[in-house]
Amino acid sequence: MLDNPSEKDVVLVQKAYDFAKKAHEGELRLSGDPYFNHLFATAKNIAELGMRAETVAAGFLHDCMEDGKATAEEIKKEFGEGILSLVEGVTKLGKIRYQGTTRYNENLRKLFMAMSQDIRVLIIKLCDRLHNIQTLQYVPKEKQIRIAKETLEIYAPLAYRLGIKKLQRSLEDLAFTYVYPKKSEEIKKILKEKRGQVEKHLDKFQKSLKRELAKNSITNFHIDYRVKSLYSLYRKMQKYDENAENIYDISALRITVPEVADCYKILGIIHASWRPLPNRIKDYIASPKLNGYKSIHTTIFTGDGGIIEVQIRTEDMHKEAEYGIASHLSYKEGKLTGWIKELLEYQKEAGNEFVSEIKNDFFKERIFVFTPKGDVIDLPKGSSVIDFAFAIHTDIGAHMSSAKVNGKMVTITSILDSGDRVEIETKKSAKPSAKWLPFCKTTMAKRRINNFLENKK
Ligand code: MN
């Protein structure tokens, strides 16, 4: 599966395969399949993105710490520090709980990015989720909806942000059928109806296009077409009053060429022969999308009453459009030091604002801590247990008596770190004190304490 694997790569992946098989022996999935099938599928998804042996191996091992099948020491001893940190990263992400409220979705996505530390952790998690959603029919009904919603609202957007279109599409289309079963049936029907008609039209146009290109001595190119995925058509239809007739890019013709200059040449040839629709020419080569996407799009009248969107890009751009950041990591992975550094480099090339947003204020200004249930609480950096308690509920803050952070007793004035799990004990007799004030970072906690002190007077 790997491109040109070295002998070392093969040995490593084989070893992870054997280790996972043994660790999960006798364990079954809800489908009744051996649990190992899930690990194999996850590792395969990772390899198909072109990731290197270390990440594929971690894919085999990603669940063995979660279920206590293996200890950190064992993994470190057998596979080294690097793979251990990938497996630990995935295990940590598994503890973040989706709340089901859109208000927190953006924070949750940022949290996933931040907690991943290494972008490969996120890629493993996305590949893990892909197999889970592929086998969702075996999961109890009420859990199905939660997992599918979480996939649509958290995982697929993350895949989009990393520019991994291939993963995004699969995650979205599968989750869509669980979250909106009726809508997805409708869209499937529309696509099916349109498909035949659209393909015939594309085929006819393709022939005249090839003739035009030949006249201009352009012979080195590749033409294919893509049909919009279920979920993206659904979203587009929401934008256009649910009317599929108003959507011109249900299908698009795609031309790939070796050089950037060829892209513009072909655009010129097309516009000289067919009239473009106004305001539908998009040069994402000159100004790439935020996730790094590059291509030229134009929509033209084909002269027979039809309209077609044409996308023109180089082969490299095409690879990037499908595999996103994974296509960068696959050959740089060995040298990957910090994911931020890597992402920033990528951002420079791609103009990815989301990443700089994370880097600039997210890490500097905020921390994310967990309730015992795994809910995420977002606080300013430097916040203490007192801030946390008031952020959960005024009564919890007002009657807090003691606290545990990551299972250990601490003083309530302790400063929290991202990823901490905080438990608050309350007592009816406990009351806020003026001594707490210097340890409050949030205005909310200060105000609540002051209110209490004033009322007491
Ligand atoms: Mn898993």
Side-chain angles (χ1 to χ4, degrees):
M1 284 183 284
L2 303 167
D3 279 345
N4 308 315
S6 69
E7 205 172 307
K8 231 175 98 195
D9 290 340
V10 176
V11 170
L12 174 62
V13 171
Q14 180 67 51
K15 194 174 166 188
Y17 176 107
D18 294 336
F19 189 96
K21 193 144 209 182
K22 213 171 146 216
H24 295 273
E25 205 176 350
E27 208 181 324
L28 296 179
R29 295 272 286 175
L30 285 171
S31 60
D33 287 340
Y35 198 89
F36 178 77
N37 289 12
H38 167 63
L39 307 165
F40 185 83
T42 304
K44 185 165 175 271
N45 290 340
I46 295 167
E48 277 171 359
L49 288 178
M51 302 299 288
R52 304 285 300 269
E54 222 188 10
T55 318
V56 176
F60 275 113
L61 304 172
H62 81 270
D63 276 330
C64 69
M65 284 182 74
E66 171 105 44
D67 312 331
K69 309 280 174 205
T71 63
E73 289 74 43
E74 273 176 86
I75 295 178
K76 192 172 154 188
K77 192 174 143 251
E78 296 295 325
F79 298 98
E81 201 107 33
I83 288 182
L84 171 64
S85 98
L86 291 177
V87 176
E88 279 181 330
V90 178
T91 310
K92 252 203 265 168
L93 283 188
K95 300 214 162 77
I96 300 176
R97 229 240 227 136
Y98 168 68
Q99 306 195 340
T101 46
T102 39
R103 219 181 105 208
Y104 292 109
N105 285 349
E106 187 52 36
N107 281 346
L108 208 54
R109 289 191 285 261
K110 285 180 179 174
L111 179 62
F112 264 85
M113 291 285 267
M115 292 229 353
S116 302
Q117 302 285 328
D118 182 325
I119 212 73
R120 292 175 298 170
V121 168
L122 205 50
I123 289 174
I124 297 169
K125 192 71 198 161
L126 289 170
C127 290
D128 165 52
R129 175 53 58 105
L130 177 59
H131 184 247
N132 283 336
I133 200 104
Q134 281 165 341
T135 51
L136 199 62
Q137 75 255 44
Y138 303 107
V139 168
K141 270 259 151 23
E142 61 297 349
K143 230 179 141 190
Q144 274 181 357
I145 300 290
R146 188 185 66 78
I147 294 174
K149 271 193 170 164
E150 184 182 56
T151 304
L152 271 189
E153 282 160 29
I154 309 296
Y155 287 86
L158 283 172
Y160 173 77
R161 256 130 189 210
L162 299 180
I164 314 176
K165 191 121 197 220
K166 207 172 132 78
L167 267 179
Q168 183 205 345
R169 257 190 321 243
S170 315
L171 289 170
E172 279 178 350
D173 281 2
L174 287 163
F176 179 48
T177 59
Y178 288 94
V179 181
Y180 305 103
K182 264 200 196 139
K183 277 279 164 214
S184 78
E185 279 311 312
E186 276 174 42
I187 306 270
K188 263 183 215 165
K189 234 178 96 192
I190 292 175
L191 275 178
K192 213 175 142 194
E193 280 168 13
K194 290 243 158 201
R195 205 179 185 115
Q197 170 198 339
V198 152
E199 279 176 3
K200 230 195 251 160
H201 187 216
L202 281 172
D203 207 49
K204 193 176 148 207
F205 173 71
Q206 196 188 135
K207 281 183 190 135
S208 1
L209 175 63
K210 279 183 178 159
R211 255 197 316 272
E212 278 313 308
L213 294 179
K215 264 197 240 162
N216 289 277
S217 338
I218 294 186
T219 47
N220 195 1
F221 61 87
H222 179 78
I223 293 186
D224 66 355
Y225 69 90
R226 68 115 185 87
V227 176
K228 236 184 179 13
S229 69
L230 275 186
Y231 188 62
S232 72
L233 181 56
Y234 165 69
R235 279 217 308 235
K236 196 116 195 198
M237 283 183 65
Q238 285 185 313
K239 250 203 211 157
Y240 289 90
D241 306 324
E242 313 260 319
N243 189 347
E245 298 307 318
N246 295 338
I247 300 170
Y248 301 134
D249 64 341
I250 286 185
S251 62
L253 198 76
R254 203 150 50 192
I255 310 173
T256 44
V257 286
E259 301 291 335
V260 175
D262 303 328
C263 297
Y264 291 101
K265 221 192 241 167
I266 289 178
L267 180 71
I269 294 168
I270 291 176
H271 283 181
S273 311
W274 292 277
R275 193 156 60 84
L277 266 73
N279 305 321
R280 306 264 327 169
I281 306 159
K282 289 173 193 135
D283 186 351
Y284 296 120
I285 295 180
S287 3
K289 284 194 188 181
L290 292 181
N291 65 353
Y293 177 79
K294 287 184 202 148
S295 195
I296 296 173
H297 293 189
T298 183
T299 307
I300 50 160
F301 295 101
T302 46
D304 52 5
I307 285 169
I308 280 180
E309 176 174 305
V310 183
Q311 305 177 346
I312 313 162
R313 55 177 81 157
T314 65
E315 277 128 31
D316 284 347
M317 288 172 195
H318 181 62
K319 197 177 159 213
E320 252 193 63
E322 291 296 303
Y323 298 98
I325 198 157
S327 70
H328 290 254
L329 292 177
S330 55
Y331 58 85
K332 285 190 203 155
E333 195 172 15
K335 285 180 252 161
L336 198 73
T337 45
W339 72 284
I340 283 290
K341 203 179 131 212
E342 196 69 18
L343 271 177
L344 284 179
E345 272 171 33
Y346 177 65
Q347 180 211 343
K348 258 189 247 151
E349 289 167 41
N352 193 333
E353 275 171 22
F354 173 69
V355 176
S356 72
E357 184 195 320
I358 282 190
K359 164 100 173 141
N360 292 340
D361 34 273
F362 179 69
F363 277 115
K364 264 191 239 150
E365 311 301 340
R366 308 296 293 181
I367 58 163
F368 290 81
V369 290
F370 299 106
T371 69
K373 280 193 203 156
D375 291 338
V376 183
I377 307 291
D378 166 3
L379 292 167
K381 200 160 185 170
S383 291
S384 65
V385 174
I386 302 170
D387 292 298
F388 173 86
F390 280 102
I392 295 197
H393 198 278
T394 311
D395 284 341
I396 293 186
H399 298 290
M400 153 175 54
S401 60
S402 63
K404 279 185 191 168
V405 171
N406 304 326
K408 284 192 194 112
M409 290 289 285
V410 297
T411 58
I412 58 170
T413 55
S414 303
I415 305 298
L416 297 171
D417 268 328
S418 248
D420 280 347
R421 196 166 45 83
V422 189
E423 273 169 86
I424 305 284
E425 297 280 329
T426 54
K427 250 192 230 155
K428 266 212 169 113
S429 57
K431 288 181 185 73
S433 141
K435 284 183 200 154
W436 291 5
L437 286 169
F439 301 97
C440 295
K441 186 87 185 171
T442 55
T443 359
M444 199 212 291
K446 282 180 204 159
R447 200 185 299 145
R448 296 273 146 82
I449 295 167
N450 281 324
N451 281 350
F452 176 84
L453 296 172
E454 269 160 38
N455 286 341
K456 211 171 70 177
K457 274 182 213 157

